[in-house]
Amino acid sequence: MTGATGTPTRRAVAVGIGHYLPKRVVPNAEFEERIDTSDEWIRARTGIERRHFAAESETTSDLGIAAARAALDDAGLTAADIDAVIVATSTPDLTFPSVATMIQSGLGMSHGFAFDVQAVCAGFIYALSTANAFILSGQAKRVLVIGAETFSRILDWDDRTTCVLFGDGAGALVLEAQEGDGTGADRGILAVDLHSDGQFRDLLYVDGGVSRTQSTGVLKMEGKEVFRHAVEKLAKTAHTALDRAGLGADDVNWIVPHQANLRIISRTAQKMGVGMDRVVVTVQDHGNTSAASIPLALSVGVARGQIKRGDLLVAEAIGGGLAWGAAVLRW
Ligand code: UT7
């Protein structure tokens, strides 16, 4: 199935991908020394084996700059070719200015525009959707879309229910305006589906912030409840996005899910009727890197030789807000 017969349509096509992971790798065993947990529990309940933590001197923008450089290299482009930088993050270097402007400057760009998007773990889907809208409206020809996080900075190291779950990292994607036929066979972003429901904002939040506490705060999560919402909502949003593209689950080459928990990833794939042999899984190596997890998985999926040009991908994510969504793109 290739979708409805279309008319020539502008598409936001992926032309470069890259990522950066901080040098320090922290295996589950390191937590056994500090808190009442075990490698067995973490692996069995989450699939996580290790994660990367940023060095003290490394910030979210440093991670993002390294990922952006890798994506530009992959695209054979330079910062001079980019019109806009959109960064999905919930762990900015500073309250303001945006991480995006820091990355813009780090890349030596003084043209174009740059801003952050904050939708926590769903941030990259929101950023992708925003970049797509700029490209389809003709406001930008090439956009760098980055997910970059240092969640290690907002963890409560005494809370075993959260501190073992997260990691740091960044992934970057270069999107370029190209002409397609307006069918599901086109390369590029074919459909997006976004949702949020603020009545669930207390299920996953950070208990500090500029206006309420004038402090950074630490992450708090009702894990079981978030798990329940994830299993209920992710397959649904992925199906909606596929429907919008005129495609179905059988057309999907790879699900590229938010990497929070292997059990959520596999239940979502099962609900979609897609085998785990068609799911990109990186959670064992990265933990949950929030908005960075999907571009990291895309980059690793390409580097492993799993994702190939022309493959149909569905990316899906849920996180604080709750905010969730899915994007369908042909690589
Ligand atoms: O990226 C944003 C979206 N976030 C997510 O998608 C996360 C969603 N939630 C989850 O992934 C899972 O709910 C968790 C991994 C957070 C927890 O797994 P669970 O299977 O839901 O475990 P649970 O919360 O029901 O806890 C089971 C037991 C509890 O002990 P009791 O009350 O049964 O005695 C916990 O205290 O496991 C205990 N526990 C731990 N034990 C060892 C919780 N954390 C740990 C730990 N080590 N780190």
Side-chain angles (χ1 to χ4, degrees):
M1 192 155 73
T2 53
T5 325
T7 47
T9 307
R10 186 173 300 169
R11 298 288 195 189
V13 176
V15 295
I17 183 82
H19 71 269
Y20 173 79
L21 289 159
K23 299 280 171 293
R24 188 174 159 221
V25 178
V26 178
N28 291 343
E30 256 193 64
F31 290 92
E32 291 177 349
E33 297 156 20
R34 294 211 309 247
I35 50 170
D36 181 15
T37 190
S38 65
D39 177 42
E40 292 72 27
W41 190 95
I42 301 169
R43 279 176 197 246
R45 309 303 281 189
T46 71
I48 298 166
E49 297 173 20
R50 60 193 70 81
R51 72 287 289 141
H52 294 246
F53 283 157
E56 235 171 87
S57 60
E58 258 178 336
T59 62
T60 296
S61 67
D62 294 328
L63 274 49
I65 289 166
R69 288 200 176 118
L72 286 170
D73 280 353
D74 185 49
L77 298 170
T78 71
D81 302 311
I82 299 298
D83 304 319
V85 181
I86 304 179
V87 177
T89 190
S90 303
T91 47
D93 296 29
L94 299 171
T95 301
F96 72 77
S98 65
V99 173
T101 53
M102 295 178 185
I103 294 176
Q104 180 191 26
S105 148
L107 294 174
M109 275 174 74
S110 51
H111 64 279
F113 59 96
F115 64 96
D116 290 356
V117 166
Q118 210 273 50
V120 203
C121 297
F124 193 75
I125 302 287
Y126 275 65
L128 208 57
S129 174
T130 308
N132 188 42
F134 277 118
I135 286 176
L136 298 195
S137 69
Q139 276 180 280
K141 185 165 179 249
R142 290 198 195 93
V143 184
L144 245 177
V145 191
I146 301 166
E149 302 278 18
T150 46
F151 259 54
S152 63
R153 304 278 154 75
I154 51 165
L155 296 178
D156 175 352
W157 300 107
D158 295 323
D159 179 5
R160 68 173 183 171
T161 70
T162 55
C163 73
V164 301
L165 303 175
F166 295 90
D168 302 336
L173 179 70
V174 182
L175 289 176
E176 180 181 272
Q178 292 184 10
E179 287 305 309
D181 295 332
T183 72
D186 286 348
R187 290 184 68 218
I189 296 176
L190 301 176
V192 185
D193 183 53
L194 299 181
H195 298 270
S196 65
D197 189 344
Q199 71 172 306
F200 300 119
R201 66 192 180 279
D202 293 338
L203 295 183
L204 175 50
Y205 67 101
V206 170
D207 68 354
V210 179
S211 189
R212 196 177 288 182
T213 64
Q214 299 83 57
S215 66
T216 308
V218 291
L219 185 146
K220 305 278 180 188
M221 177 165 69
E222 302 275 346
K224 248 186 161 36
E225 275 301 292
V226 176
F227 191 106
R228 196 177 62 73
H229 281 285
V231 169
E232 177 198 313
K233 293 177 166 59
L234 288 174
K236 207 167 158 189
T237 183
H239 275 304
T240 303
L242 279 166
D243 272 354
R244 273 185 201 150
L247 296 164
D250 288 348
D251 299 304
V252 174
N253 295 104
W254 294 102
I255 300 178
V256 187
H258 171 47
Q259 310 281 325
N261 187 317
L262 188 56
R263 291 184 296 140
I264 296 174
I265 292 172
S266 57
R267 284 201 206 173
T268 302
Q270 193 181 18
K271 276 187 142 187
M272 289 180 67
V274 174
M276 283 301 284
D277 58 333
R278 288 193 280 146
V279 183
V280 178
V281 179
T282 56
V283 69
Q284 70 281 3
D285 296 326
H286 303 161
N288 181 347
T289 57
S290 191
S293 94
I294 287 176
L296 267 167
L298 278 171
S299 184
V300 169
V302 170
R304 282 180 188 155
Q306 293 177 309
I307 299 171
K308 296 193 176 65
R309 190 183 165 105
D311 279 355
L312 188 76
L313 315 183
V314 179
E316 33 87 347
I318 186 165
L322 295 174
W324 67 101
V328 175
L329 69 153
R330 194 173 292 284
W331 195 251

